[in-house]
Amino acid sequence: MGLKFQPARFALDLSIMPADTASSQAPDNTRRGNSLRLLLDAQRAAFARDPYPTLTARKKHLRELLVALIAKQKDFTKAIDDDFGGRAHAEIMLSEVFVSGASIKHALRHAAEWMRARSAPVDLPLQPARAWVMPQPLGVAGIISPWNYPLFLFMGPLAGALAAGNRAMLKPSEYTPATSALLARLIEDTFAPDHVAVVNGDAAVAREFATLPFDHLLFTGSTAVGREVMRAASENLTPVTLELGGKCPAILAPGGDVSKAARDILYGKLLNAGQTCVAPDYVLVPRANLHEFAGAALAAIDRYFPNAPGNPDYTALIHPRHVERLQSYLEEASARGVEILPAARRPPCGRKFAPALLLDPPGDLRVMREEIFGPVLPLKAYDHLDEALAYVNALPRPLALYLFTRDRRIMERVERNTISGALSVNETLLHCGVESLPFGGVGASGMGHYHGRHGFETFSKMKPVFYRPFTGFSAKLRPPYGKLHERLLKLLMR
């Protein structure tokens, strides 16, 4: 249904439907588009009445969001577990609830600093004058969040948008219906809908959402869908931040600690069963260490998730299609004679897919060309570090690159000779939790940044302001031009 008007409030309810029934039961496109536009117009009108919220107001909104999150944390662990068909509550608390709260708390601690005008120097020829940069709210932010971390990737961008003083409309994923419904209730109970609103619905709703003329649109999801979102946003010249994915490599450098690297890489790979945009997608290993690393990786799997996929701490894949897709990777690799280690032979447990290690698969396999997004990990052998770097640089630029070395020279070499959204040395995933670092991709893995101050600036117009108390030296450069103008210009150009 469309907008329901109630005294002093309204709410948008576009029902979530399974993909196979969405085309026949989706609301009429025109009515749906009108409902979304009406909600956007209401937020624009509210922003026009209060275009620069005070620090007190912004911190109040952030605290209210944090209190609501804490109050519903048990509800979120159950909803996410239900949506995945099996995801450990401890993992949800760490990778969804804790990091969401940390994002909001970071914004609360630093909002005052972020809001301050930043002085800018003025060169002598333009004196007397002052200049500064004023962070100004953009207006209404649109946020499209994905299914793989349905709470954190909803709350993180929202914290930045609220700290920057904006209104916000959010579209969570239809693949996590219980979580998306809970998010809608949390927001409706916490904010007026002309301040923050959740729009739930199927892929058709998401497409309509992306066509709205937001002041900024942030999308997290696949590269393929990111292209469609950018195309839709371009019709309104809406600026976009795209947080995508790709194939994130891990490089074990010559002389690196094989056992520690295997433990760290497999932790990053198996969290959320590999359904993480910054999960290691493949590992480049010195040829002499290939089997040693494989053995250490199998030991790490058994250490973290004994008897996976039957282990209750091990996460299920979100949809049967993903099980089929990963199985097709293994079948293609097996047909090409690739060695698949024993962990891969354990039968699935529902949608829980057994971890699989592929030894030195050829680069033309689908598993080496497509983002895996699951617990399948190819181990690719190399003979020289230059060969490993060339392999990484020949592929689209990744969202993250993981390097394992204690050699400072190797670290600097990789840092300078590869381009990625982030470089993390001797760890995986943890850079995402550093709120003071920008998070974002490059090229096919995304554009723009958020987290912490970088999210605040993404949702702000960093407006330059120039102030002159009276006319200065530069007035001598105005017409009519003559000898004095010529001499002064030559003097300035020295």
Side-chain angles (χ1 to χ4, degrees):
M1 52 191 131
L3 288 168
K4 294 180 177 178
F5 285 94
Q6 300 171 352
R9 292 184 67 85
F10 59 86
L12 190 65
D13 179 14
L14 295 170
S15 59
I16 298 174
M17 289 164 287
D20 58 348
T21 62
S23 59
S24 62
Q25 298 182 31
D28 174 76
N29 287 346
T30 301
R31 184 161 60 91
R32 179 173 57 227
N34 289 342
S35 297
L36 290 169
R37 179 57 75 98
L38 193 57
L39 180 56
L40 175 61
D41 289 345
Q43 292 207 353
R44 283 203 186 285
F47 178 77
R49 294 191 296 270
D50 185 15
Y52 194 85
T54 65
L55 172 63
T56 300
R58 299 184 199 195
K59 293 181 79 168
K60 174 178 178 290
H61 300 146
L62 289 166
R63 274 193 291 267
E64 289 170 343
L65 183 63
L66 181 61
V67 168
L69 169 66
I70 293 170
K72 291 189 179 294
Q73 57 185 302
K74 291 184 179 178
D75 296 333
F76 276 114
T77 59
K78 183 180 185 307
I80 294 172
D81 184 17
D82 289 346
D83 282 332
F84 275 80
R87 190 171 173 194
H89 286 204
E91 181 181 288
I92 296 168
M93 287 297 299
L94 174 64
S95 65
E96 299 273 13
V97 178
F98 168 74
V99 290
S100 295
S103 293
I104 301 168
K105 290 176 183 178
H106 186 83
L108 276 166
R109 284 195 300 270
H110 296 283
E113 171 195 347
W114 299 342
M115 286 178 65
R116 290 191 195 109
R118 304 165 199 183
S119 179
V122 179
D123 290 339
L124 182 62
L126 299 177
Q127 293 291 356
R130 289 175 52 220
W132 61 90
V133 176
M134 170 193 171
Q136 185 171 24
L138 287 172
V140 181
I143 298 168
I144 303 176
S145 58
W147 56 261
N148 59 326
Y149 290 88
L151 178 60
F152 174 47
L153 296 179
F154 178 102
M155 289 291 177
L158 178 57
L162 291 177
N166 294 284
R167 312 275 159 162
M169 291 172 57
L170 300 102
K171 168 64 179 76
S173 175
E174 64 272 22
Y175 288 106
T176 49
T179 308
S180 296
L182 183 56
L183 286 166
R185 291 197 298 273
L186 180 150
I187 294 300
E188 185 176 355
D189 291 344
T190 308
F191 298 99
D194 62 358
H195 190 181
V196 184
V198 173
V199 176
N200 272 324
D202 59 7
V205 174
R207 284 191 291 271
E208 291 284 347
F209 189 93
T211 66
L212 296 175
F214 293 111
D215 296 293
H216 195 94
L217 177 61
L218 187 147
F219 166 81
T220 305
S222 71
T223 300
V225 178
R227 290 190 178 97
E228 297 300 319
V229 168
M230 188 172 182
R231 187 175 294 113
S234 70
E235 292 297 319
N236 299 307
L237 295 181
T238 299
V240 295
T241 297
L242 300 178
E243 300 299 346
L244 308 177
K247 299 189 73 63
C248 297
I251 302 174
L252 173 63
D257 186 328
V258 173
S259 295
K260 181 185 182 305
R263 290 194 301 270
D264 294 342
I265 290 169
L266 267 294
Y267 170 73
K269 182 62 175 179
L270 298 181
L271 185 74
N272 201 19
Q275 299 168 111
T276 306
C277 58
V278 290
D281 214 70
Y282 62 98
V283 188
L284 292 163
V285 183
R287 192 174 301 278
N289 300 117
L290 181 63
H291 287 88
E292 180 188 3
F293 183 90
L298 289 176
I301 293 170
D302 286 335
R303 174 180 179 176
Y304 295 134
F305 302 104
N307 301 312
N311 191 307
D313 287 342
Y314 190 65
T315 300
L317 301 182
I318 193 70
H319 195 277
R321 284 201 309 272
H322 293 267
V323 176
E324 296 166 5
R325 177 176 56 83
L326 295 182
Q327 189 61 43
S328 73
Y329 289 161
L330 299 186
E331 290 170 357
E332 182 188 28
S334 179
R336 292 284 295 275
V338 175
E339 184 178 358
I340 303 173
L341 292 182
R345 296 175 191 156
R346 296 171 185 162
C349 182
R351 293 203 309 273
K352 292 188 176 185
F353 196 91
L357 303 177
L358 278 62
L359 259 61
D360 209 16
D364 63 336
L365 292 182
R366 286 176 56 217
V367 75
M368 297 303 294
R369 293 183 288 107
E370 300 175 2
E371 184 176 11
I372 296 171
F373 231 66
V376 174
L377 185 63
L379 311 180
K380 188 76 175 170
Y382 71 86
D383 294 304
H384 303 285
L385 185 59
D386 284 342
E387 179 188 346
L389 299 187
Y391 190 93
V392 170
N393 288 332
L395 295 174
R397 290 167 175 171
L399 187 57
L401 188 156
Y402 301 108
L403 172 66
F404 290 83
T405 185
R406 294 294 178 185
D407 189 324
R408 186 75 187 181
R409 292 170 299 177
I410 290 178
M411 180 178 141
E412 291 178 354
R413 185 174 166 194
V414 174
E415 187 177 9
R416 294 172 181 175
N417 290 283
T418 60
I419 298 177
S420 56
L423 171 64
S424 184
V425 183
N426 298 323
E427 255 303 351
T428 58
L429 306 189
L430 294 187
H431 68 281
C432 300
V434 183
E435 284 289 316
S436 56
L437 285 177
F439 180 84
V442 56
S445 59
M447 62 177 64
H449 300 94
Y450 75 112
H451 284 197
R453 184 176 200 145
H454 306 280
F456 174 91
E457 293 183 356
T458 285
F459 290 113
S460 299
K461 166 57 184 170
M462 305 303 291
K463 183 162 72 176
V465 181
F466 182 77
Y467 168 70
R468 302 195 72 172
F470 53 86
T471 302
F473 173 79
S474 62
K476 302 297 184 182
L477 298 176
R478 297 174 183 175
Y481 304 122
K483 293 293 185 181
L484 177 61
H485 178 276
E486 183 178 343
R487 287 196 297 271
L488 290 174
L489 196 58
K490 284 182 179 179
L491 181 66
L492 291 172
M493 293 175 65
R494 285 183 179 175

